[in-house]
Amino acid sequence: SKPLGFRENAHSDGIWCCAWGNENTFITGSVDETMKIWSVTQKDKQDPDSPVDIKEKSILAGHTLGVISVAVNDKIIASSSLDCHLRFWDHEGTCKQVIGCGAAENWGIGLSGNLVATGSQGGNINIWELQNYQKVQTLETKKKAMILSVAFSPNGRYLCCGGMDGTVCVFDAQSMKLLNAIEGHTKGIRSLSFTPDSTTLITASDDTQIKLFDLRDDSKRGNSIFSFTGHSSWVLSVASTQNGKQIISSSSDGSVKFWDIAKRECVQTFKDHSDQVWGVSVNPTGTLVGSVGDDKSFYIRSGIEK
């Protein structure tokens, strides 16, 4: 099947990260040092397979090296870059604040309420608050392995991070206490996501696997539920559909895969990109899925299950 829309050469270099600002706003971050906000609108809202209209809305310039990671809430867009700075933008694309993090202190980035979390090369998580943009806490993961991915659960209860050594750490997002350190993967964890009800953590790793971990209660928390295998190389990004029934992943094997959690199998594979697919993201209504890659392009597909 064909994508609903795409933009080739959306940036002048590879695209490393993406997120949705709202149902019809797609945000891309690139090695070319910029981020872009795109309007992505389905021509017929009633038809899930209706093509999309794509327009470039704004260019977010300011980072002086490639943009690694982007996170969004209803008020703000947060970006981290190889230039060791965090930038905070409004949804129109105006930069509101810049924070210098020190060398290698800001790889993955997560947002929840008034807090921003970034992973560091030394294996710590830095917590910043959005009122005064001050660092309020540094969490240690004990392992000192570089943190590649950081995410808050949708209900705000957990803060999780994935390390270069394959360890997942689960923190209580209120007390900031380390609850679990799970040796879940044999290689680095590039991406973390959650089912929308926050009961399941989803991890994507360089070991080519996607794993599901139980977050339901204290006795079961951290237990492995299932591993999905099928990608032939690093799994770079993972997301959950809005109803929590499917997982969408992207990989350096050039593919995007849809996985059915109940059936425990891959149900669709798309090879739109001609190079590594660094990011995949589902819009807030679950209708559209965007993917970005080293081929400088992004593709939009339907998020509605077939």
Side-chain angles (χ1 to χ4, degrees), residues 106-278:
N106 60 331
W107 202 257
I109 188 168
L111 270 179
S112 180
N114 191 38
L115 296 178
V116 182
T118 62
S120 82
Q121 205 159 340
N124 296 331
I125 300 178
N126 299 310
I127 309 287
W128 315 77
E129 54 82 24
L130 289 172
Q131 233 89 49
N132 307 308
Y133 296 98
Q134 297 294 317
K135 189 194 285 192
V136 288
Q137 208 163 355
T138 300
L139 309 180
E140 294 190 5
T141 57
K142 310 251 195 304
K143 281 300 202 61
K144 298 296 178 202
M146 178 177 177
I147 306 294
L148 293 174
S149 50
V150 179
F152 287 93
S153 60
N155 64 3
R157 187 176 168 196
Y158 298 115
L159 167 59
C160 298
C161 67
M164 187 73 101
D165 63 347
T167 304
V168 186
C169 289
V170 182
F171 291 88
D172 182 307
Q174 263 65 55
S175 68
M176 295 297 172
K177 295 232 172 357
L178 178 63
L179 301 173
N180 299 76
I182 310 157
E183 293 184 8
H185 289 274
T186 56
K187 290 184 180 167
I189 298 166
R190 296 269 167 187
S191 177
L192 299 172
S193 188
F194 299 84
T195 50
D197 61 6
S198 300
T199 62
T200 308
L201 171 67
I202 307 155
T203 58
S205 169
D206 285 358
D207 67 10
T208 75
Q209 298 203 348
I210 298 157
K211 291 198 175 183
L212 276 60
F213 295 97
D214 200 332
L215 291 178
R216 275 175 307 188
D217 58 40
D218 292 351
S219 62
K220 291 196 186 71
R221 193 182 53 237
N223 287 357
S224 174
I225 300 170
F226 189 69
S227 299
F228 285 112
T229 52
H231 282 297
S232 59
S233 186
W234 302 355
V235 190
L236 299 173
S237 182
V238 70
S240 167
T241 54
Q242 241 23 53
N243 60 13
K245 292 183 177 173
Q246 290 194 347
I247 292 166
I248 303 160
S249 62
S250 73
S251 166
S252 53
D253 66 14
S255 72
V256 171
K257 288 180 179 283
F258 284 62
W259 310 81
D260 188 294
I261 292 180
K263 292 182 188 159
R264 298 194 165 183
E265 65 184 23
C266 178
V267 287
Q268 293 186 98
T269 300
F270 299 114
K271 283 267 195 178
D272 298 323
H273 292 271
S274 60
D275 207 332
Q276 309 192 86
V277 191
W278 279 103

